[in-house]
Amino acid sequence: VKWDMVCELLECLAELGGETSRSELMSHARAQILERGLNADGSFGDYAKAEAAQGGKFDVKIGSKLRTTLVCLEALLSTSPGMRHLWPEIARLENETGPQVIDAYATA
């Protein structure tokens, strides 16, 4: 499963007004992300195949693992009923402070 894509779509649904309390699809997606996408170290995704395929030409931990984890955390936050009221403020701060963390790592 491409967890970064699942999380991007979940976040888009939330930004369009979807709510996990009223959407079985969103609720199921959140549950699957937490049950199947979450690794023991707190990251999201499976990178064994990506690491083998890249042969050291691409930093999988930064280029994929960090990005997927960031996207999944954003999706879980934006669809969490207890945090939903904070999401506009988080987005505002992100826009004011410049590039996201992943962008800073990608250009370093």
Side-chain angles (χ1 to χ4, degrees):
V1 174
K2 300 280 188 183
W3 291 111
D4 57 336
M5 295 172 123
V6 171
C7 292
E8 290 275 10
L9 291 171
L10 182 60
E11 189 174 356
C12 287
L13 289 172
E15 288 181 15
L16 290 170
E19 296 181 21
T20 54
S21 62
R22 298 187 324 187
S23 170
E24 187 176 327
L25 173 69
M26 291 178 70
S27 180
H28 183 71
R30 274 183 59 87
Q32 290 298 303
I33 292 164
L34 290 169
E35 290 173 21
R36 296 180 48 211
L38 182 61
N39 298 319
D41 66 357
S43 67
F44 289 85
D46 180 16
Y47 303 99
K49 289 180 186 176
E51 287 176 327
Q54 295 302 324
K57 296 178 184 175
F58 175 72
D59 190 335
V60 174
K61 287 186 174 83
I62 292 177
S64 291
K65 195 173 195 177
L66 180 62
R67 182 191 182 285
T68 300
T69 299
L70 176 65
V71 170
C72 288
L73 290 174
E74 286 180 341
L76 292 169
L77 177 64
S78 68
T79 58
S80 175
M83 298 298 289
R84 188 169 177 85
H85 69 284
L86 293 175
W87 190 244
E89 179 65 13
I90 292 168
R92 183 189 66 75
L93 289 172
E94 184 177 70
N95 288 334
E96 287 179 2
T97 59
Q100 294 182 1
V101 172
I102 189 68
D103 295 333
Y105 279 107
T107 58

XYZ file of all heavy atoms in Angstrom:
818
model
N 0.849 -1.189 0.000
C 0.000 0.000 0.000
C 0.884 1.238 0.000
O 1.855 1.315 0.742
C -0.922 0.014 1.242
C -1.707 1.294 1.331
C -1.843 -1.186 1.228
N 0.562 2.185 -0.812
C 1.264 3.478 -0.853
C 0.602 4.385 0.187
O -0.330 5.123 -0.102
C 1.169 4.095 -2.246
C 1.760 3.251 -3.326
C 3.243 3.420 -3.336
C 3.833 2.719 -4.544
N 5.247 2.803 -4.565
N 1.094 4.328 1.419
C 0.449 5.046 2.517
C 0.488 6.549 2.324
O -0.415 7.255 2.773
C 1.070 4.633 3.851
C 0.725 3.218 4.173
C 1.570 2.144 4.191
C -0.568 2.699 4.472
N 0.876 1.003 4.485
C -0.435 1.313 4.667
C -1.830 3.263 4.589
C -1.515 0.481 4.972
C -2.915 2.437 4.895
C -2.750 1.064 5.087
N 1.497 7.069 1.649
C 1.525 8.509 1.415
C 0.346 8.934 0.550
O -0.289 9.957 0.809
C 2.855 8.965 0.812
C 3.213 8.269 -0.485
O 2.738 7.144 -0.739
O 4.007 8.857 -1.247
N -0.020 8.121 -0.440
C -1.158 8.455 -1.304
C -2.485 8.337 -0.552
O -3.368 9.178 -0.697
C -1.165 7.562 -2.539
C 0.032 7.779 -3.433
S 0.065 6.552 -4.726
C 0.058 7.630 -6.140
N -2.603 7.281 0.248
C -3.821 7.100 1.046
C -4.007 8.302 1.975
O -5.102 8.860 2.091
C -3.754 5.783 1.858
C -4.910 5.693 2.846
C -3.728 4.579 0.932
N -2.918 8.707 2.607
C -2.989 9.830 3.551
C -3.251 11.152 2.844
O -3.996 11.994 3.354
C -1.713 9.882 4.384
S -1.567 8.463 5.510
N -2.661 11.350 1.662
C -2.936 12.575 0.892
C -4.422 12.652 0.551
O -5.044 13.716 0.676
C -2.111 12.603 -0.402
C -0.634 12.806 -0.202
C -0.215 14.251 -0.086
O -1.080 15.140 0.022
O 0.999 14.502 -0.087
N -4.991 11.535 0.096
C -6.415 11.514 -0.251
C -7.296 11.748 0.972
O -8.295 12.483 0.895
C -6.772 10.190 -0.933
C -6.183 10.002 -2.322
C -6.412 8.576 -2.805
C -6.763 11.007 -3.297
N -6.934 11.148 2.095
C -7.704 11.349 3.328
C -7.668 12.809 3.747
O -8.695 13.391 4.115
C -7.154 10.450 4.443
C -7.888 10.506 5.776
C -9.346 10.081 5.620
C -7.180 9.635 6.792
N -6.508 13.417 3.649
C -6.385 14.834 4.002
C -7.209 15.708 3.056
O -7.860 16.666 3.481
C -4.925 15.254 3.978
C -4.694 16.637 4.535
C -3.233 17.000 4.648
O -2.353 16.163 4.378
O -2.966 18.140 5.036
N -7.212 15.374 1.773
C -8.024 16.132 0.804
C -9.506 16.029 1.134
O -10.233 17.023 1.060
C -7.774 15.636 -0.615
S -6.166 16.112 -1.274
N -9.962 14.838 1.491
C -11.364 14.668 1.881
C -11.705 15.544 3.084
O -12.773 16.160 3.144
C -11.666 13.199 2.186
C -11.697 12.263 0.988
C -11.813 10.817 1.453
C -12.842 12.617 0.048
N -10.788 15.616 4.040
C -11.010 16.458 5.224
C -11.071 17.930 4.830
O -11.909 18.681 5.329
C -9.917 16.223 6.257
N -10.188 18.353 3.920
C -10.178 19.753 3.501
C -11.426 20.122 2.712
O -11.826 21.279 2.667
C -8.911 20.047 2.693
C -7.673 20.078 3.573
C -6.405 20.399 2.817
O -6.487 20.871 1.669
O -5.325 20.175 3.383
N -12.059 19.116 2.103
C -13.311 19.349 1.383
C -14.525 19.295 2.308
O -15.653 19.421 1.857
C -13.472 18.319 0.254
C -12.504 18.493 -0.918
C -12.578 17.288 -1.843
C -12.819 19.781 -1.672
N -14.276 19.108 3.601
C -15.365 19.124 4.575
C -15.769 17.770 5.102
O -16.688 17.668 5.903
N -15.101 16.715 4.655
C -15.421 15.383 5.152
C -15.060 15.232 6.623
O -14.104 15.838 7.098
N -15.838 14.444 7.325
C -15.605 14.204 8.747
C -15.649 12.710 9.018
O -16.534 12.013 8.526
C -16.650 14.916 9.597
C -16.600 16.419 9.484
C -17.643 17.105 10.352
O -18.132 16.485 11.309
O -17.952 18.262 10.050
N -14.711 12.220 9.806
C -14.653 10.787 10.091
C -15.892 10.308 10.833
O -16.286 9.167 10.678
C -13.396 10.428 10.911
O -13.340 11.238 12.068
C -12.141 10.623 10.093
N -16.516 11.178 11.589
C -17.711 10.774 12.338
C -18.906 10.540 11.417
O -19.855 9.855 11.794
C -18.068 11.822 13.387
O -18.367 13.061 12.760
N -18.860 11.097 10.200
C -19.983 10.942 9.270
C -19.614 10.162 8.010
O -20.457 9.940 7.162
C -20.520 12.312 8.872
C -21.053 13.073 10.064
C -21.733 14.340 9.713
N -21.120 15.047 8.588
C -21.472 16.251 8.199
N -22.420 16.880 8.821
N -20.870 16.829 7.183
N -18.361 9.757 7.879
C -17.919 9.059 6.678
C -17.293 7.724 7.040
O -16.230 7.679 7.670
C -16.906 9.913 5.912
O -16.302 9.150 4.880
N -17.938 6.645 6.622
C -17.406 5.314 6.888
C -16.067 5.119 6.160
O -15.149 4.494 6.693
C -18.405 4.256 6.432
C -18.012 2.855 6.809
C -19.065 1.834 6.430
O -20.260 2.155 6.460
O -18.660 0.704 6.110
N -15.961 5.672 4.957
C -14.716 5.575 4.187
C -13.553 6.228 4.939
O -12.485 5.630 5.086
C -14.877 6.235 2.819
C -13.602 6.356 1.987
C -13.133 4.979 1.533
C -13.821 7.274 0.806
N -13.761 7.442 5.431
C -12.701 8.150 6.149
C -12.354 7.449 7.454
O -11.184 7.329 7.813
C -13.102 9.602 6.386
C -13.140 10.423 5.113
S -13.682 12.121 5.380
C -12.274 12.786 6.284
N -13.360 6.989 8.146
C -13.136 6.287 9.409
C -12.344 4.999 9.177
O -11.393 4.691 9.907
C -14.477 5.981 10.064
O -14.294 5.305 11.273
N -12.714 4.265 8.136
C -12.013 3.020 7.798
C -10.569 3.311 7.367
O -9.646 2.585 7.751
C -12.769 2.272 6.700
C -12.162 0.963 6.337
N -12.196 -0.140 7.168
C -11.471 0.578 5.234
C -11.563 -1.142 6.590
N -11.114 -0.727 5.407
N -10.382 4.358 6.581
C -9.026 4.724 6.128
C -8.133 5.057 7.318
O -6.986 4.601 7.389
C -9.093 5.902 5.163
N -8.650 5.845 8.270
C -7.873 6.173 9.482
C -7.482 4.912 10.231
O -6.342 4.756 10.661
C -8.684 7.073 10.412
C -8.591 8.534 10.140
C -9.379 9.330 11.186
N -8.903 9.091 12.538
C -7.905 9.756 13.125
N -7.288 10.701 12.480
N -7.532 9.478 14.352
N -8.430 4.005 10.385
C -8.160 2.767 11.117
C -7.083 1.942 10.411
O -6.175 1.408 11.058
C -9.441 1.950 11.273
N -7.164 1.857 9.081
C -6.175 1.086 8.317
C -4.787 1.713 8.394
O -3.781 1.008 8.493
C -6.617 0.958 6.856
C -7.816 0.064 6.656
C -7.538 -1.366 7.100
O -6.619 -2.006 6.620
N -8.326 -1.851 8.045
N -4.741 3.038 8.340
C -3.454 3.736 8.450
C -2.790 3.400 9.784
O -1.603 3.081 9.841
C -3.636 5.257 8.297
C -4.056 5.600 6.868
C -2.364 6.009 8.683
C -4.632 6.999 6.713
N -3.561 3.454 10.837
C -3.021 3.183 12.167
C -2.708 1.704 12.390
O -1.734 1.358 13.061
C -3.977 3.690 13.240
C -4.076 5.208 13.329
C -5.238 5.615 14.224
C -2.770 5.803 13.840
N -3.531 0.810 11.832
C -3.339 -0.623 12.043
C -2.278 -1.223 11.127
O -1.487 -2.057 11.553
C -4.655 -1.373 11.836
C -5.670 -1.111 12.917
C -7.033 -1.720 12.608
O -7.108 -2.664 11.783
O -8.021 -1.242 13.176
N -2.255 -0.796 9.862
C -1.378 -1.443 8.883
C -0.208 -0.579 8.422
O 0.808 -1.108 7.982
C -2.203 -1.857 7.671
C -3.241 -2.913 8.016
C -4.074 -3.352 6.835
N -3.250 -3.653 5.679
C -3.663 -3.482 4.421
N -4.860 -3.010 4.166
N -2.863 -3.782 3.411
N -0.346 0.739 8.505
C 0.701 1.618 7.988
C 1.725 2.051 9.011
O 2.830 2.462 8.662
N 1.377 1.971 10.277
C 2.252 2.446 11.348
C 3.319 1.411 11.687
O 3.014 0.247 11.934
C 1.417 2.759 12.594
C 2.137 3.318 13.806
C 2.810 4.647 13.484
C 1.148 3.495 14.959
N 4.567 1.839 11.679
C 5.695 0.971 12.038
C 5.996 1.063 13.529
O 5.590 2.018 14.198
C 6.943 1.376 11.241
C 6.741 1.206 9.759
O 6.161 0.229 9.309
N 7.199 2.179 8.996
N 6.743 0.111 14.035
C 7.087 0.063 15.460
C 7.868 1.296 15.911
O 7.755 1.721 17.056
C 7.895 -1.198 15.770
N 8.629 1.912 14.991
C 9.423 3.089 15.363
C 8.640 4.404 15.249
O 9.196 5.477 15.447
C 10.706 3.164 14.529
C 10.448 3.419 13.046
O 9.280 3.493 12.618
O 11.445 3.542 12.307
N 7.353 4.311 14.916
C 6.522 5.510 14.816
C 6.440 6.089 13.419
O 5.675 7.014 13.173
N 7.200 5.545 12.481
C 7.129 6.000 11.096
C 5.990 5.275 10.380
O 5.365 4.380 10.938
C 8.457 5.735 10.378
O 8.676 4.344 10.246
N 5.737 5.676 9.151
C 4.693 5.046 8.355
C 5.289 4.550 7.050
O 6.169 5.185 6.479
C 3.576 6.056 8.039
C 2.748 6.411 9.233
C 3.155 7.407 10.099
C 1.559 5.752 9.502
C 2.399 7.746 11.205
C 0.796 6.074 10.607
C 1.217 7.073 11.465
N 4.789 3.419 6.549
C 5.198 2.898 5.256
C 6.149 1.722 5.352
O 6.633 1.373 6.425
N 6.398 1.099 4.195
C 7.286 -0.054 4.085
C 8.353 0.272 3.051
O 8.039 0.523 1.890
C 6.489 -1.286 3.666
C 7.351 -2.521 3.532
O 8.490 -2.519 4.042
O 6.890 -3.488 2.916
N 9.593 0.266 3.455
C 10.659 0.749 2.590
C 11.701 -0.289 2.220
O 12.675 0.039 1.568
C 11.330 1.967 3.237
C 10.299 3.016 3.487
C 9.732 3.171 4.730
C 9.837 3.784 2.445
C 8.734 4.088 4.933
C 8.832 4.701 2.631
C 8.289 4.853 3.885
O 7.288 5.746 4.069
N 11.495 -1.537 2.583
C 12.481 -2.577 2.268
C 12.671 -2.704 0.756
O 13.802 -2.759 0.270
C 12.049 -3.910 2.868
N 11.580 -2.746 -0.009
C 11.673 -2.858 -1.463
C 12.312 -1.609 -2.066
O 13.118 -1.694 -2.988
C 10.291 -3.083 -2.075
C 9.722 -4.448 -1.806
C 8.348 -4.593 -2.446
C 7.714 -5.906 -2.058
N 6.347 -6.021 -2.592
N 11.945 -0.452 -1.563
C 12.494 0.804 -2.093
C 13.995 0.878 -1.851
O 14.749 1.282 -2.730
C 11.798 1.999 -1.462
N 14.426 0.468 -0.682
C 15.862 0.493 -0.376
C 16.627 -0.444 -1.302
O 17.685 -0.088 -1.825
C 16.100 0.119 1.091
C 15.702 1.216 2.045
C 15.835 0.827 3.501
O 15.628 -0.350 3.846
O 16.150 1.719 4.304
N 16.082 -1.626 -1.534
C 16.747 -2.594 -2.402
C 16.782 -2.108 -3.851
O 17.786 -2.260 -4.546
C 16.043 -3.940 -2.306
N 15.696 -1.509 -4.295
C 15.601 -1.057 -5.689
C 16.496 0.143 -5.987
O 16.973 0.298 -7.107
C 14.153 -0.717 -6.019
N 16.734 0.986 -5.007
C 17.495 2.216 -5.243
C 18.999 1.993 -5.285
O 19.721 2.792 -5.867
C 17.156 3.271 -4.174
C 15.726 3.741 -4.214
C 15.340 4.338 -5.549
O 16.141 4.995 -6.208
N 14.122 4.095 -5.974
N 19.484 0.968 -4.672
C 20.907 0.677 -4.700
C 21.783 1.804 -4.184
O 22.872 2.030 -4.680
N 21.300 2.549 -3.192
C 22.092 3.611 -2.587
C 22.067 4.934 -3.330
O 22.725 5.885 -2.926
N 21.316 5.038 -4.417
C 21.267 6.275 -5.192
C 20.282 7.293 -4.633
O 20.273 8.439 -5.044
C 20.879 5.961 -6.640
C 21.885 5.111 -7.363
C 21.421 4.816 -8.757
C 22.387 3.867 -9.443
N 21.912 3.468 -10.757
N 19.447 6.868 -3.727
C 18.373 7.712 -3.205
C 18.262 7.462 -1.717
O 18.250 6.309 -1.291
C 17.080 7.336 -3.927
C 15.848 8.026 -3.436
C 15.643 9.369 -3.690
C 14.865 7.335 -2.749
C 14.499 10.010 -3.269
C 13.712 7.966 -2.328
C 13.538 9.304 -2.593
N 18.228 8.510 -0.921
C 18.113 8.337 0.527
C 16.664 8.031 0.876
O 15.840 8.925 0.983
C 18.594 9.599 1.257
C 18.726 9.360 2.748
O 18.042 8.460 3.292
O 19.515 10.065 3.378
N 16.363 6.759 1.017
C 14.992 6.311 1.267
C 14.465 6.857 2.579
O 13.309 7.238 2.677
C 14.915 4.770 1.233
C 13.545 4.276 1.641
C 15.258 4.260 -0.154
N 15.324 6.934 3.607
C 14.852 7.404 4.910
C 14.367 8.844 4.848
O 13.371 9.200 5.452
C 15.941 7.243 5.953
C 16.153 5.805 6.340
C 17.136 5.687 7.478
C 17.240 4.270 7.952
N 18.124 3.450 7.197
N 15.055 9.686 4.112
C 14.647 11.093 4.019
C 13.668 11.298 2.872
O 12.632 11.912 3.033
C 15.875 12.017 3.865
C 16.681 11.996 5.158
C 15.436 13.438 3.519
C 17.949 12.800 5.114
N 13.960 10.759 1.726
C 13.145 11.000 0.548
C 11.793 10.327 0.561
O 10.855 10.810 -0.056
N 11.674 9.220 1.258
C 10.398 8.501 1.280
C 9.822 8.363 2.683
O 8.692 8.730 2.934
C 10.560 7.107 0.673
O 10.799 7.189 -0.692
N 10.613 7.819 3.600
C 10.102 7.536 4.943
C 9.674 8.812 5.667
O 8.594 8.870 6.249
C 11.162 6.798 5.748
C 10.662 6.154 7.001
C 11.770 5.305 7.616
C 11.218 4.366 8.641
N 12.267 3.493 9.185
N 10.486 9.837 5.612
C 10.161 11.088 6.289
C 8.922 11.727 5.675
O 8.023 12.168 6.376
C 11.346 12.048 6.241
C 11.148 13.401 6.921
C 10.891 13.223 8.410
C 12.365 14.277 6.706
N 8.864 11.754 4.344
C 7.724 12.364 3.668
C 6.429 11.602 3.978
O 5.411 12.198 4.291
C 7.929 12.396 2.155
C 6.747 13.078 1.483
C 6.735 12.926 -0.018
N 5.614 13.636 -0.583
C 4.356 13.231 -0.527
N 4.041 12.124 0.082
N 3.386 13.948 -1.061
N 6.465 10.277 3.875
C 5.264 9.477 4.146
C 4.807 9.670 5.582
O 3.613 9.823 5.848
C 5.525 7.989 3.861
O 5.891 7.849 2.486
C 4.307 7.139 4.143
N 5.744 9.688 6.506
C 5.384 9.884 7.914
C 4.754 11.256 8.124
O 3.729 11.380 8.796
C 6.624 9.696 8.811
O 7.104 8.356 8.637
C 6.304 9.941 10.267
N 5.318 12.288 7.524
C 4.766 13.637 7.636
C 3.357 13.696 7.067
O 2.435 14.217 7.707
C 5.666 14.647 6.924
C 5.170 16.090 6.886
C 5.124 16.668 8.289
C 6.057 16.933 5.989
N 3.158 13.139 5.895
C 1.841 13.163 5.248
C 0.820 12.394 6.079
O -0.319 12.844 6.261
C 1.931 12.598 3.812
C 0.559 12.386 3.214
C 2.748 13.517 2.935
N 1.208 11.239 6.599
C 0.279 10.443 7.408
C -0.079 11.158 8.708
O -1.245 11.161 9.116
C 0.848 9.059 7.683
S 0.842 7.996 6.222
N 0.895 11.774 9.342
C 0.598 12.524 10.569
C -0.328 13.704 10.291
O -1.249 13.973 11.061
C 1.889 12.987 11.238
C 2.739 11.876 11.859
C 4.065 12.437 12.352
C 1.987 11.164 12.971
N -0.091 14.398 9.179
C -0.976 15.512 8.807
C -2.394 15.011 8.559
O -3.363 15.637 9.003
C -0.460 16.217 7.550
C 0.744 17.074 7.795
C 1.250 17.761 6.531
O 0.913 17.329 5.411
O 1.987 18.744 6.680
N -2.531 13.883 7.868
C -3.858 13.334 7.582
C -4.569 12.909 8.865
O -5.758 13.178 9.046
C -3.752 12.154 6.623
N -3.834 12.254 9.747
C -4.444 11.823 11.006
C -4.853 13.028 11.859
O -5.918 13.025 12.478
C -3.495 10.899 11.771
C -3.255 9.544 11.117
C -2.110 8.819 11.805
C -4.522 8.707 11.127
N -4.027 14.052 11.865
C -4.354 15.259 12.612
C -5.571 15.957 12.014
O -6.494 16.339 12.733
C -3.158 16.213 12.631
C -3.369 17.555 13.318
C -3.647 17.360 14.803
C -2.157 18.444 13.120
N -5.589 16.097 10.702
C -6.682 16.838 10.062
C -8.006 16.097 10.127
O -9.062 16.706 9.962
C -6.341 17.164 8.611
O -6.300 16.010 7.822
N -7.971 14.796 10.372
C -9.217 14.026 10.458
C -9.559 13.609 11.882
O -10.514 12.885 12.103
C -9.141 12.772 9.569
O -8.033 11.968 9.980
C -9.007 13.149 8.104
N -8.789 14.073 12.833
C -9.058 13.760 14.226
C -10.125 14.706 14.768
O -9.929 15.927 14.774
C -7.779 13.899 15.049
O -8.049 13.705 16.413
N -11.263 14.172 15.220
C -12.336 15.050 15.707
C -11.888 16.004 16.813
O -12.313 17.141 16.862
C -13.392 14.072 16.224
C -13.124 12.799 15.502
C -11.630 12.769 15.277
N -10.982 15.577 17.679
C -10.524 16.420 18.770
C -9.589 17.540 18.347
O -9.398 18.515 19.063
N -8.996 17.412 17.166
C -8.023 18.395 16.694
C -8.520 19.206 15.499
O -7.871 20.136 15.074
C -6.721 17.687 16.298
C -6.035 16.966 17.426
S -5.515 18.062 18.770
C -4.173 18.917 17.990
N -9.670 18.844 14.965
C -10.163 19.463 13.736
C -10.240 20.986 13.839
O -9.930 21.694 12.892
C -11.524 18.885 13.377
C -12.013 19.337 12.022
C -13.229 18.515 11.605
N -13.736 18.976 10.351
C -13.286 18.594 9.168
N -12.293 17.750 9.109
N -13.804 19.068 8.064
N -10.601 21.502 14.998
C -10.735 22.956 15.147
C -9.382 23.666 15.072
O -9.308 24.851 14.787
C -11.445 23.290 16.460
C -10.623 22.991 17.679
N -10.429 21.709 18.164
C -9.918 23.816 18.489
C -9.655 21.763 19.223
N -9.332 23.018 19.450
N -8.264 22.938 15.304
C -6.935 23.539 15.246
C -6.334 23.528 13.840
O -5.367 24.236 13.588
C -5.981 22.804 16.179
C -6.269 22.923 17.674
C -5.303 22.049 18.457
C -6.168 24.362 18.119
N -6.880 22.736 12.937
C -6.263 22.557 11.631
C -6.078 23.866 10.860
O -5.015 24.078 10.288
C -7.054 21.537 10.816
C -6.343 21.139 9.570
C -6.749 21.352 8.303
C -5.067 20.492 9.470
N -5.829 20.861 7.415
C -4.785 20.344 8.099
C -4.135 20.043 10.401
C -3.617 19.750 7.649
C -2.975 19.453 9.941
C -2.729 19.313 8.584
N -7.045 24.782 10.805
C -6.804 26.042 10.092
C -5.624 26.831 10.675
O -4.858 27.443 9.933
C -8.109 26.815 10.254
C -9.137 25.764 10.476
C -8.425 24.685 11.261
N -5.446 26.802 11.975
C -4.328 27.515 12.608
C -3.001 26.857 12.258
O -2.013 27.535 11.992
C -4.520 27.552 14.132
C -3.405 28.235 14.885
C -3.265 29.727 14.577
O -4.169 30.321 13.958
O -2.236 30.299 14.965
N -2.974 25.539 12.223
C -1.746 24.827 11.852
C -1.386 25.141 10.410
O -0.226 25.414 10.098
C -1.926 23.306 12.067
C -2.041 23.011 13.565
C -0.773 22.519 11.439
C -2.500 21.623 13.899
N -2.359 25.138 9.517
C -2.110 25.461 8.108
C -1.620 26.896 7.963
O -0.712 27.174 7.180
C -3.374 25.243 7.292
N -2.181 27.818 8.738
C -1.753 29.218 8.677
C -0.297 29.345 9.108
O 0.502 30.005 8.451
C -2.643 30.093 9.572
C -2.290 31.592 9.495
C -3.032 32.397 10.552
N -2.638 32.062 11.909
C -1.486 32.435 12.484
N -0.598 33.136 11.826
N -1.210 32.091 13.729
N 0.064 28.705 10.203
C 1.448 28.758 10.688
C 2.414 28.142 9.676
O 3.506 28.657 9.457
C 1.570 28.038 12.029
C 0.937 28.744 13.222
C 0.950 27.829 14.433
C 1.657 30.051 13.512
N 2.000 27.049 9.063
C 2.841 26.403 8.065
C 3.088 27.345 6.884
O 4.196 27.446 6.386
C 2.167 25.125 7.585
C 3.003 24.331 6.628
C 2.298 23.051 6.248
O 1.284 23.119 5.525
O 2.766 21.987 6.662
N 2.060 28.056 6.458
C 2.199 28.993 5.342
C 3.089 30.179 5.714
O 3.850 30.674 4.889
C 0.836 29.497 4.878
C 0.065 28.425 4.145
O 0.634 27.515 3.566
N -1.248 28.536 4.180
N 3.015 30.639 6.940
C 3.796 31.798 7.382
C 5.267 31.469 7.627
O 6.126 32.319 7.457
C 3.209 32.377 8.671
C 1.906 33.112 8.453
C 1.342 33.657 9.753
O 1.978 33.505 10.816
O 0.239 34.230 9.703
N 5.540 30.234 8.026
C 6.912 29.882 8.391
C 7.736 29.368 7.226
O 8.912 29.070 7.392
C 6.933 28.840 9.523
O 6.226 27.678 9.080
C 6.311 29.392 10.785
N 7.165 29.280 6.064
C 7.939 28.870 4.894
C 7.836 27.402 4.601
O 6.814 26.781 4.878
N 8.910 26.821 4.025
C 8.857 25.435 3.559
C 8.615 24.447 4.687
O 9.009 24.676 5.822
C 10.218 25.203 2.926
C 11.026 26.401 3.159
C 10.189 27.434 3.824
N 7.965 23.360 4.325
C 7.752 22.291 5.284
C 9.082 21.630 5.593
O 10.060 21.787 4.876
C 6.801 21.247 4.711
C 5.403 21.756 4.501
C 4.492 20.659 3.971
O 4.909 19.532 3.781
N 3.267 21.009 3.737
N 9.104 20.849 6.647
C 10.315 20.153 7.062
C 10.860 19.303 5.920
O 12.049 19.310 5.643
C 10.030 19.270 8.299
C 11.222 18.390 8.621
C 9.666 20.138 9.482
N 9.997 18.594 5.228
C 10.455 17.719 4.149
C 11.143 18.524 3.062
O 12.129 18.083 2.486
C 9.291 16.878 3.580
C 9.815 15.814 2.610
C 8.259 17.738 2.894
C 10.619 14.747 3.243
N 10.653 19.720 2.759
C 11.283 20.552 1.741
C 12.678 20.972 2.176
O 13.592 21.014 1.367
C 10.441 21.798 1.451
C 9.099 21.452 0.845
O 9.001 20.386 0.179
O 8.135 22.205 1.033
N 12.855 21.257 3.443
C 14.167 21.661 3.950
C 15.165 20.511 3.811
O 16.312 20.716 3.428
C 14.060 22.096 5.408
N 14.743 19.285 4.118
C 15.624 18.136 3.981
C 15.937 17.843 2.517
O 17.041 17.481 2.167
C 15.005 16.896 4.617
C 15.177 16.838 6.107
C 14.109 17.068 6.960
C 16.417 16.566 6.663
C 14.269 17.018 8.333
C 16.590 16.533 8.036
C 15.509 16.742 8.860
O 15.673 16.698 10.203
N 14.942 17.988 1.656
C 15.115 17.653 0.236
C 16.097 18.582 -0.453
O 16.764 18.188 -1.401
C 13.765 17.683 -0.471
N 16.215 19.819 0.022
C 17.097 20.777 -0.632
C 18.459 20.881 0.046
O 19.311 21.603 -0.417
C 16.447 22.172 -0.672
O 16.138 22.593 0.657
C 15.185 22.155 -1.514
N 18.622 20.198 1.176
C 19.892 20.272 1.911
C 20.988 19.487 1.218
O 20.800 18.600 0.486
C 19.698 19.749 3.335
